Amino acid sequence: MSEELRPQDPIHAPTGTRRSCKTWDAEAALRMLMNNLDDRVAVDWKNLIVYGGTGRAARNWKEYHRIVAALKSLAPDETLCIQSGKPVYIAKTDQEAPRVILANSNLVPAWATPEEFDRLDRMGLMMYGQMTAGSWIYIGTQGILQGTYETFAAIAKQAFKTESLCGKWILTAGMGGMSGAQPVAATMNEAVILDVEVRPERIERKVKEGYCDRMTDRLDEALEWIGTACRIGQPLSIGLVGNAGEVYPELVRRGRIPDIVTDQTPAHDLLSYVPIGDVAELDRLRERDPKAYRQKSLDTIARHAGAILAMQSAGAVAVDYGNNLRAQAADAGVPVQNPDGSFKYPGFVPAYIRPLFCEGKGPFRWAALSGDPKDIHRIDRALKGAFPKDRALKRWVDLAQRKIPFTGLPARICWLGYGDRAKFGLVINDLVRKGEVKGPIVIGRDHLDCGSVASPYRETEGMDDGSDAVGDWPLLNFALNAISGASWVSFHHGGGVGMGNSLHAGMVIVADGTKRRAQRLERVLTVDPGIGVARHVDAGYDLARQTAQKKKIKIPKK
Ligand code: NAD
């Protein structure tokens, strides 16, 4: 993979207020691309892998350097087109048009299989963009943290009728880019969590970053810690070195049933999931014989998901955490489905997140291009001031300030809904204009959002009107954000749940403090969640209808 062109030293985005590009939009794209590949942010920067199995920021090192050069020379009325991590065209467009358009991992539907994608990837014709890896708005593990925190909080309320998970324990697996948010999200809810991770260095990294409290490679020791912490009601996160396909069934065998069971291994991609066995040997097998490796992954997934079902039968609350483990388990012959085809345990979106989508809420985020953490703290204060009655938001911001270390460019995630995103975008732009923050602020979101994704095993699982697999919505979202003046827009395939299973769009807009930008911010941050509310109105959700009425969102009359 053009390894000789790999930089000698780890990449860090430039900071400060001097730019090397002709516009702040291009500069922001450059800094966020580099931030995605910062060694403190990406799980494997040397191979350009940001998170989520093999989610990459650029196709290879040669294309990375070409993107950087293209961004540096990009004129204020030009748009750079990126095809699966490779710059392919600089179009003369308009000053108000996006500076970059990215299309990643898209395949014609009948060809949209993992095998075809892997073939094209090996030929150097494509790359996997995941969601925010290939669209340059990954902000490290924090990016999923609030969603995970809210999901655990919702489980506490729905399943245990309490506000806290104090004295309860959660079993999960995976401690990589996104999955690494689980330990701290659990302890923020006062729970005890056992997170099984096959690569010790991944746990070490999260302990060092402050996301996880302790690690061990002994199950007995972990169980002892869990017992004590649950008894005294002490929040505790434990990383256990092991394979979920071995540890989960062993816990069933011992009758040690957690209160909540989930998992966030990269099961969406059988070549990223790690089967039982020696990791180094398996790495060689993946190269030599991908088909045999895939079969081994399926065998391990069968044990892993079989144990989740057994734990559910024994009383644990089971939830799928967005990695397609259930569908892979079904392929492996595990009876994970009901006779009507629905899954025996729910995905986290239909179970806990969809009501938020009906209000246009989603993982809104911003990053400080100045590199100064004080900018984020200033915006935190403005956030609490802008929504003084929102107690959950205040609690989140206070916890985030205390518990979340910044990695790479300082950033903040905060789920905001229709109306509030546009309002807050303008607040941020004003702070830039008045010089209360040191530089422009990048505003964006995950592709996992209310109107930007079609994903029948995740975001659109079990839609009321059966429209789970309708892919028109993310396309509408993509086009709306492009014509409304986002700084860069993206359209991807296969994020979260793997090839053939999802289509999704991303948007980023830079608050540069100008008046003109205020108009674009208001437009983009309104229509982006607006099409999300419309999507849920169309599918028949009452809450979405109420949101549309209350917020005067125009839905054509029936
Ligand atoms: P990652 O590749 O950065 O980390 C996954 C970790 O799982 C790795 O550290 C890997 O060593 C470990 N692992 C693999 N197989 C294992 C096994 N059998 N037992 C124990 N550990 C194992 O990926 P990520 O960014 O953490 O994402 C994980 C999954 O979550 C992906 O499928 C991704 O698509 C999905 N995802 C979900 C959401 C969401 O909102 N729910 C968001 C982003 C990603």
Side-chain angles (χ1 to χ4, degrees):
M1 194 204 282
S2 58
E3 272 173 23
E4 66 282 4
L5 296 175
R6 180 165 66 212
Q8 291 289 314
D9 299 320
I11 294 172
H12 301 303
T15 53
T17 51
R18 284 173 63 129
R19 51 182 158 83
S20 57
C21 299
K22 295 181 177 146
T23 59
W24 270 112
D25 289 320
E27 179 75 19
L30 178 81
R31 291 190 188 186
M32 293 310 286
L33 162 67
M34 290 180 167
N35 192 53
N36 268 17
L37 291 171
D38 187 307
D39 64 328
R40 297 161 300 175
V41 177
V43 291
D44 179 8
W45 76 274
K46 290 185 176 167
N47 289 307
L48 298 124
I49 294 176
V50 184
Y51 78 102
T54 55
R56 287 201 207 123
R59 200 179 302 175
N60 54 43
W61 285 110
K62 180 174 157 222
E63 303 308 343
Y64 166 81
H65 293 299
R66 290 183 66 220
I67 294 172
V68 169
L71 286 171
K72 285 191 175 166
S73 65
L74 200 69
D77 61 352
E78 288 179 338
T79 296
L80 173 64
C81 298
I82 305 282
Q83 180 261 322
S84 281
K86 173 181 174 180
V88 289
Y89 179 48
I90 294 173
K92 182 109 175 141
T93 54
D94 179 89
Q95 296 216 4
E96 300 264 300
R99 291 285 68 81
V100 190
I101 296 185
L102 307 103
N104 285 311
S105 339
N106 295 290
L107 288 163
V108 169
W111 277 257
T113 63
E115 292 76 13
E116 178 63 7
F117 174 78
D118 291 341
R119 190 181 75 83
L120 293 163
D121 189 15
R122 271 198 301 278
M123 288 167 71
L125 295 172
M126 288 201 112
M127 71 159 204
Y128 182 50
Q130 252 291 2
M131 290 196 159
T132 52
S135 59
W136 311 339
I137 187 67
Y138 183 69
I139 56 165
T141 300
Q142 185 188 168
I144 197 181
L145 185 54
Q146 193 188 5
T148 312
Y149 164 75
E150 296 294 349
T151 300
F152 287 154
I155 295 177
K157 271 194 209 120
Q158 280 186 30
F160 304 109
K161 315 278 176 261
T162 63
E163 291 287 319
S164 143
L165 288 172
C166 183
K168 307 266 187 262
W169 75 281
I170 302 169
L171 171 66
T172 191
M175 216 187 278
M178 296 278 94
S179 45
Q182 299 175 104
V184 80
T187 53
M188 279 173 149
N189 278 291
E190 299 171 325
V192 176
I193 185 166
L194 180 66
D195 191 338
V196 184
E197 163 62 58
V198 83
R199 295 187 171 94
E201 67 277 13
R202 295 278 164 97
I203 306 181
E204 277 158 14
R205 178 171 173 167
K206 287 295 159 203
V207 170
K208 207 165 118 208
E209 286 174 6
Y211 273 88
C212 180
D213 296 327
R214 286 184 205 171
M215 80 180 272
T216 177
D217 56 7
R218 291 178 41 229
L219 179 60
D220 288 332
E221 184 172 47
L223 286 171
E224 228 176 271
W225 289 344
I226 292 170
T228 311
C230 282
R231 218 171 26 253
I232 61 173
Q234 180 202 359
L236 179 68
S237 52
I238 303 162
L240 173 68
V241 183
N243 192 303
E246 286 179 311
V247 175
Y248 281 42
E250 176 60 18
L251 287 166
V252 173
R253 199 186 64 74
R254 294 187 190 193
R256 296 298 295 262
I257 305 300
D259 297 289
I260 299 164
V261 60
T262 187
D263 145 76
Q264 221 177 3
T265 55
H268 70 275
D269 174 16
L270 296 177
L271 294 181
S272 294
Y273 185 86
V274 181
I276 295 168
D278 179 77
V279 178
E281 235 167 69
L282 285 161
D283 282 344
R284 286 192 289 276
L285 179 68
R286 187 193 292 110
E287 285 298 312
R288 206 178 59 241
D289 189 350
K291 200 167 162 215
Y293 186 102
R294 279 202 192 90
Q295 188 52 52
K296 276 187 182 292
S297 284
L298 281 177
D299 295 344
T300 300
I301 283 175
R303 295 167 54 101
H304 182 172
I308 294 179
L309 287 179
M311 288 176 183
Q312 185 187 29
S313 300
V317 175
V319 62
D320 178 274
Y321 208 42
N323 60 355
N324 213 24
L325 182 80
R326 294 169 306 171
Q328 303 281 26
D331 282 351
V334 181
V336 77
Q337 282 164 302
N338 296 308
D340 67 359
S342 62
F343 288 110
K344 287 185 178 157
Y345 60 93
F348 73 111
V349 174
Y352 306 109
I353 301 288
R354 187 150 304 141
L356 302 179
F357 283 173
C358 289
E359 294 181 70
K361 285 190 179 156
F364 197 57
R365 59 187 58 184
W366 49 88
L369 291 179
S370 67
D372 191 337
K374 286 198 206 92
D375 282 1
I376 296 300
H377 294 142
R378 176 67 192 91
I379 298 173
D380 282 347
R381 283 205 304 285
L383 185 64
K384 289 198 272 186
F387 306 105
K389 292 198 184 122
D390 191 333
R391 283 181 52 209
L393 183 143
K394 180 180 177 306
R395 187 178 61 161
W396 164 251
V397 175
D398 290 344
L399 273 172
Q401 278 188 354
R402 266 206 334 271
K403 291 218 167 200
I404 303 174
F406 292 132
T407 45
L409 289 176
R412 182 68 76 225
I413 178 106
C414 185
W415 283 55
L416 287 180
Y418 182 91
D420 293 346
R421 297 197 204 185
K423 173 177 166 178
F424 199 58
L426 294 177
V427 169
I428 293 179
N429 201 47
D430 243 23
L431 293 175
V432 180
R433 183 178 59 79
K434 291 192 274 190
E436 293 196 30
V437 288
K438 292 199 184 65
I441 303 290
V442 163
I443 301 175
R445 57 157 173 76
D446 196 355
H447 295 200
L448 178 164
D449 198 8
C450 52
S452 53
V453 54
S455 181
Y457 292 139
R458 205 166 96 172
E459 289 86 343
T460 52
E461 173 180 346
M463 294 297 288
D464 271 0
D465 64 345
S467 60
D468 307 19
V470 175
D472 299 334
W473 298 100
L475 271 166
L476 293 174
N477 175 272
F478 171 76
L480 268 177
N481 283 323
I483 59 171
S484 299
S487 301
W488 65 93
V489 285
S490 52
F491 195 85
H492 295 193
H493 160 226
V497 282
M499 289 300 137
N501 295 314
S502 61
L503 293 169
H504 38 95
M507 79 78 203
V508 179
I509 181 160
V510 180
D512 63 7
T514 62
K515 254 198 194 145
R516 278 184 90 109
R517 189 50 59 101
Q519 290 168 357
R520 276 169 69 176
L521 279 161
E522 187 162 24
R523 245 182 358 237
V524 170
L525 299 180
T526 300
V527 300
D528 184 42
I531 188 75
V533 176
R535 196 263 176 273
H536 289 84
V537 171
D538 196 65
Y541 289 89
D542 275 342
L543 183 56
R545 235 186 329 257
Q546 288 159 22
T547 307
Q549 256 166 19
K550 205 163 87 195
K551 308 264 180 177
K552 300 194 170 42
I553 300 172
K554 278 194 179 174
I555 309 284
K557 284 207 172 64
K558 279 206 173 140

